Amino acid sequence: MLRDSLISLSRSATAKALVTKTPLRAMSRRFVPGESVESLVDTIREANAAGFSATGNYLGESVHDEPNARRAADVYLRVFDAIGADRLDANVSLKFTQLGQDISERFLGDNLGRVLDRADEVDSFVRFDMESSEYTQRTLDAFEKLWSAGRRNIGVVLQSYLHRTVGDVARMNRLGARVRLCKGAYAEPASVAFQERTKVDDSFVELMRMLLDEGTCPAIATHDERMIGATIDHHSKGGFTADRFEFQMLHGVRRDLQRQLVADGYRLRIYVPFGEHWYPYLMRRLAERPANVLFLAGSVVQESPLGFLWPKAQRNGGGGDGH
């Protein structure tokens, strides 16, 4: 019932207008700092000053008309212009459907090509976010087509809760492609995804080890302290240097843990979403897994002097790990 209510609210202009005038908007700025490229750049500068790398994501997906898909690509061109001009330690993350995958693969190739060319010009990188399981194979097929064409400034996201991911990780390792591993945030059926948290976690640890042992500059994307601890333990036992991989976390989530990882000598990249679609993004992320409501609230509490009051089970829940 909560999920349906949140989805309904995500589509309501009236609800957005009301929320914009409430404390929820101020809270959302912690996780989605602004709507403009300039707000993203300011946030990246702050992240770099704190010792973090960053990846910017212009909010939006499932675009079905060419003008809006081109507009999304144009925004990413502006982001890369800023990255190059200011020599920022940053790259971008985007969704294929935002740039026109559901229009046609040919249109996607032309539109995305502009973004990849600009990334090459400023010596940067593009990560393709993973969407629901309906798009997993299509995303990997499109990625491998680009890889076969010689693109090397690209990487992909894989989700540990999908049954198929162990094979996908092995395939990406053989290619030498850069993978971001996350748990996954979409509601998926048992036929394609693990439903029990313990199985999702066990899968995450198995895949993390495969990536650290055989992968190329993997990104371990999690806020779950148990998964972070397992990664550090495997890193230590394997004798890998700290620049062999990086952690990734969402902007504004567990900032205390972010600072600690950097202080301990690990590389950390912050995922920074921005854009005018902040409201549906926030509501849909909460709707995909209503436990994310507690997760976001908990991330605020844990950084406060009252953090010890937050239940350990929620503290290590790992919800909202990104895409």
Side-chain angles (χ1 to χ4, degrees):
M1 185 174 180
L2 175 60
R3 180 178 183 274
D4 292 341
S5 297
L6 290 169
I7 290 175
S8 179
L9 287 172
S10 76
R11 298 167 179 161
S12 170
T14 300
K16 178 181 178 180
L18 291 173
V19 167
T20 300
K21 299 175 182 178
T22 70
L24 181 59
R25 179 56 181 131
M27 179 179 175
S28 75
R29 289 187 185 279
R30 170 170 170 166
F31 308 106
V32 185
E35 299 184 4
S36 67
V37 171
E38 290 73 23
S39 66
L40 169 69
V41 172
D42 288 343
T43 303
I44 291 174
R45 288 197 189 103
E46 292 174 3
N48 287 175
F52 308 146
S53 302
T55 186
N57 171 245
Y58 178 53
L59 293 170
E61 57 190 88
S62 301
V63 175
H64 294 92
D65 63 284
E66 294 185 5
N68 277 319
R70 290 194 183 95
R71 177 176 173 273
D74 290 341
V75 171
Y76 282 112
L77 297 183
R78 291 174 55 205
V79 173
F80 277 126
D81 286 345
I83 288 174
D86 293 357
R87 297 183 179 180
L88 300 173
D89 181 4
N91 55 40
V92 307
S93 295
L94 58 83
K95 292 180 173 64
F96 280 143
T97 63
Q98 184 183 30
L99 268 66
Q101 187 176 41
D102 286 336
I103 298 171
S104 74
E105 294 294 336
R106 180 174 180 178
F107 175 82
L108 172 65
D110 292 341
N111 200 34
L112 177 61
R114 299 190 294 133
V115 178
L116 297 180
D117 287 344
R118 187 66 57 85
D120 261 338
E121 291 170 7
V122 299
D123 192 27
S124 193
F125 178 81
V126 178
R127 179 88 64 179
F128 303 130
D129 285 344
M130 190 59 73
E131 303 182 57
S132 67
S133 62
E134 175 186 357
Y135 288 95
T136 302
Q137 191 60 50
R138 292 178 65 189
T139 298
L140 294 178
D141 288 346
F143 175 85
E144 292 193 35
K145 182 177 180 180
L146 291 166
W147 190 269
S148 297
R151 297 284 190 183
R152 292 296 182 270
N153 62 333
I154 56 175
V156 72
V157 176
L158 296 175
Q159 302 161 318
S160 75
Y161 70 167
L162 297 182
H163 301 313
R164 60 171 290 164
T165 303
V166 64
D168 293 333
V169 166
R171 172 63 176 161
M172 293 299 110
N173 282 351
R174 288 194 295 270
L175 287 179
R178 291 169 59 178
V179 171
R180 176 201 296 149
L181 176 67
C182 69
K183 290 187 181 181
Y186 293 92
E188 298 285 2
S191 58
V192 300
F194 299 113
Q195 304 298 300
E196 299 86 357
R197 178 187 297 174
T198 55
K199 291 186 177 180
V200 175
D201 289 352
D202 289 346
S203 174
F204 190 97
V205 171
E206 176 187 5
L207 299 171
M208 171 272 292
R209 290 171 176 167
M210 290 175 63
L211 288 166
L212 261 61
D213 291 346
E214 304 169 6
T216 302
C217 301
I220 308 304
T222 184
H223 311 96
D224 187 331
E225 293 179 56
R226 296 170 303 172
M227 300 300 99
I228 292 171
T231 303
I232 291 173
D233 182 64
H234 190 68
H235 156 257
S236 300
K237 291 179 179 178
F240 308 126
T241 57
D243 60 357
R244 178 79 171 266
F245 70 100
E246 67 181 23
F247 288 108
Q248 291 193 9
M249 300 178 75
L250 294 173
H251 172 70
V253 177
R254 292 305 309 274
R255 293 178 298 191
D256 57 330
L257 189 53
Q258 294 172 7
R259 291 189 292 266
Q260 186 61 54
L261 286 170
V262 170
D264 290 343
Y266 293 99
R267 295 169 57 193
L268 179 72
R269 187 175 301 273
I270 305 301
Y271 185 101
V272 187
F274 74 102
E276 61 272 17
H277 294 296
W278 67 267
Y279 173 74
Y281 168 83
L282 183 65
M283 301 306 287
R284 287 172 185 162
R285 294 298 82 82
L286 298 179
E288 282 159 1
R289 285 191 176 182
N292 286 349
V293 176
L294 289 175
F295 174 75
L296 293 179
S299 71
V300 176
V301 173
Q302 287 174 73
E303 295 176 28
S304 76
L306 300 177
F308 68 93
L309 295 175
W310 195 250
K312 185 175 182 180
Q314 292 295 338
R315 184 159 59 245
N316 290 325
D321 274 347
H323 310 308

